[in-house]
Amino acid sequence: MLHIRIVGLLVCFIFPRLLQAQPCQWSLNGFVKDINGIELTGATIWLDSGSTGVISDENGAFQLKDLCQGRVQLIIKFVGYEDAIVQVSLPLDQPLVVSLNPSAHLLHDVIVIGDHLQQHGLTQSVSSLSTDELETHKGKSLGELTQRIPGVNALMTGPSVFKPVIHGLHSQRILILNNSVRQEGQQWGIEHAPEIDTYIASEIEVVKGAESVRYGADAMGGVVLINPAPVFKSYSFGGEINAMSMTNNRMFALSGMTEGKFRNQDYWDWRIQGTVKKGGDFHAPDYNLSNTGVDELNGSAALGYQKAGKQFEIFFSSFNTQLGILRSAHTGNLEDLQNTIESGRPWYIEDFTYSINNPKQRINHQLLKLKASARIKPQLKINLTYGGQYNQRKEYDVRRGGRSEKPALSMNLISHALDLTLDHTIKQWAGSIGMTGSIKDNTNEPGLGIKPLIPDYDQYIGGVFIIEKYRKNNWLLELGARYDLQYLKVLTFDSQDNLIEHDFSYHNILGAVGASYYFSDEARLTSNLAFSVRPPHVSESFSLGLHHSAGVIEEGLMVTTNNPKNEFSKNWVTTYQVSNKKLSLEISGFVHLIDNYIYLRPVGTRLTIRGYFPVFQYHQTDAMLTGADVMIIWNITNALSYTGKFSYVYAEDIGNDDQLLFIPPAQFDNSLTWKTNSGKLRGLTVTARVSSTLEQVNAPRTVPPDQVVNDDSDKNFDFMDAPEAYTLVNIDVGKTFPAGKNELFVALSAENLFDVSYRNYMNRLRYYADDIGRNVMVRVSYKFKSNNTKNHTNE
């Protein structure tokens, strides 16, 4: 009855007021030109909400219709030029003229306010979280946030570990750019979430398709861009404070950021940011998920200099977290494992606590970024970026004999990366030529009494690439090529504990071709075909032992075949987009063929001195992944809008005529949003979202743990049937309040409103427990000053 009353109150409160929405009949006409007065054809002009946009015609002209009276903000983009943020007050008596500057200061760390040339290809399928979504859900992990984008899922290990999945691919095939620096951590594990504090992000963007030419083989499935706001400001001091609390695991989080300029120093800017989180055990609808707490302490600082076409930036961040792993995922014998799967309940359930016990993981990640850029000529700009990272991962098992505080796995990864690019814009041509290099050194802490899961290794990678774009009338063509040279040295032990050195060298050529055709100022079609080669990661080749935080035994290709092979990928993504005042539609389809596809599959169970665990092995086959993403935004009225999202991936083991594991099932997402910009309710946004996940009908066959020993088939299998379909209802309510010259934003969200019991197929711990139940979150954000770059303002 409480649920019905809540929904009834929302309906009674909201929908009568929809009739009071004021009609918006104003138009905004304008022109987009360069600094020399040349009209720019094909520039995109968006309202800051991202829901309405047009493209400039052959004369650089554009028109936005049905706008409300008052101040509006536009974002104007064009390849090879700085994005412009324009604020105007309607009605406007004369056409607006926007002059775009060549990219005099290339901000790699921003998409909305930055240069798309340096982030991703213009013929790719690119999606981002809206400003409202990011603001409402601040504090969630990266994997949780990106799930809101069609075609993006999350691979989970319990309720607190998420990593992004793009079109069915994850880990070594997905590149994460954290403030323009490739994230270098122990990303090979399914339960290894990216070490990123999402409070630093002003936008999160996903490239759905290979970007291997620009970034190398680890971007063959896509790229996730974490974009902080630019450090360069037009005011002397500002910042924001964010606080969050949730009911399910009684988590609280506090994050603060302050930034500004040094006194009497117009060219130097600075920023300091910090976050603290603490949460206890999560809770499924019917029981506690014991030992799933989280502690987190993060900080970052940035210093920037900008003058006369020259720019320099220093950025440093520290990410520190401790995560509990579901205690029931570590079983003592086959009977416990089998009973847990059959009963549908964890074998270990205790009362709620903030304590984090073994099994658990501790991660420390440090990142240092140095970036410099200078404009040599109006058409040429050189960029140099260094990224240094230190990643320490410790995993703790349930150990006896007073050894619980000694990690069962402790690895240290030190990486250095250097990127040098030359960007050019000459008439209809624009592009980049670049060289990249990286060094990685991974070592295991000695004296732990357990052989390391993956061995020590050194890796050296060098690459050169060229990307060219040509614009002619309604066409945009893109062509790119890359050559990579990789050397890998791995140190392992044989059965007699003799040290063995393995040396590998890889020479890879990668390429891509794409095109965009603009049917009108409202519609375009893009298509991109990419070819990639990816050598096996050390973990895929040499894993051997118990992966403690995952609760499974893993064995690499050197154990199963002794002959690891390169993956060969052919990826074709085509997207149709249309946007006008009433409707925005994006339909994207893809076909991804991967020869020698590397995947982790179960092969049995095994009793060890530390418990009874499933055994997973890396195998290779030829695979095909196909699918589609759809997103539609329908502005029903000026206040009410509908958003629909759909994603589907079909994967096949074509080498063995079989199904693949851990492929996301089809998903539907429907939401209604009411947002008013007038009257007493100005700044109020209410969203009701219904999310449905279907059953994965293309899952491998099921073989229960107690029957594995008698199974002599070499076909893929899973220990448990794919979960049934389920539907979740979520409500978000947010309101912006004026606070003097500043603003205060308050949001209330309820996820899984009706406390549905369900299991997510992409959760690796679904064998042991349900996913979390109802979760109510409160978020408060106070911003003083503006967090935008210098604006072009027209009063």
Side-chain angles (χ1 to χ4, degrees), residues 214-323:
R214 189 178 303 274
Y215 300 115
D218 49 354
M220 65 183 292
V223 180
V224 179
L225 302 162
I226 314 301
N227 305 308
V231 69
F232 303 102
K233 302 296 173 185
S234 59
Y235 52 80
S236 60
F237 183 75
E240 63 181 78
I241 299 173
N242 293 279
M244 182 268 287
S245 178
M246 64 173 60
T247 60
N248 189 280
N249 69 333
R250 307 179 196 178
M251 177 187 284
F252 63 88
L254 181 65
S255 181
M257 183 272 292
T258 182
E259 59 188 347
K261 292 180 176 295
F262 293 103
R263 181 173 296 180
N264 302 322
Q265 295 290 332
D266 292 336
Y267 308 115
W268 288 92
D269 300 78
W270 57 270
R271 173 187 295 143
I272 299 174
Q273 179 266 344
T275 299
V276 59
K277 287 183 184 179
K278 187 173 184 62
D281 294 336
F282 284 87
H283 201 277
D286 299 321
Y287 45 78
N288 195 49
L289 299 171
S290 297
N291 200 49
T292 54
V294 55
D295 291 339
E296 199 170 301
L297 180 63
N298 313 313
S300 66
L303 178 67
Y305 172 84
Q306 178 180 260
K307 181 181 180 182
K310 296 181 177 64
Q311 185 182 41
F312 177 72
E313 181 183 346
I314 302 175
F315 173 82
F316 176 80
S317 67
S318 177
F319 180 93
N320 308 273
T321 187
Q322 179 174 243
L323 300 168

Side-chain angles (χ1 to χ4, degrees), residues 172 182 184 215-218 436-440 457-464 482-490 502-510 533-542 565-567:
Q172 290 82 19
R182 63 177 61 233
E184 297 287 8
Y215 300 115
D218 49 354
T436 64
S438 67
I439 300 173
K440 298 180 186 178
Y457 68 87
D458 293 317
Q459 185 183 60
Y460 306 87
I461 302 177
V464 294
R482 181 186 183 97
Y483 171 76
D484 275 341
L485 172 63
Q486 179 183 144
Y487 171 73
L488 177 66
K489 182 176 71 173
V490 183
H502 302 267
D503 295 281
F504 303 90
S505 294
Y506 303 98
H507 303 261
N508 299 320
I509 297 177
L510 308 93
V533 182
R534 187 183 74 88
H537 188 272
V538 173
S539 64
E540 296 168 326
S541 295
F542 291 94
K565 300 177 182 178
N566 287 349
E567 286 187 341

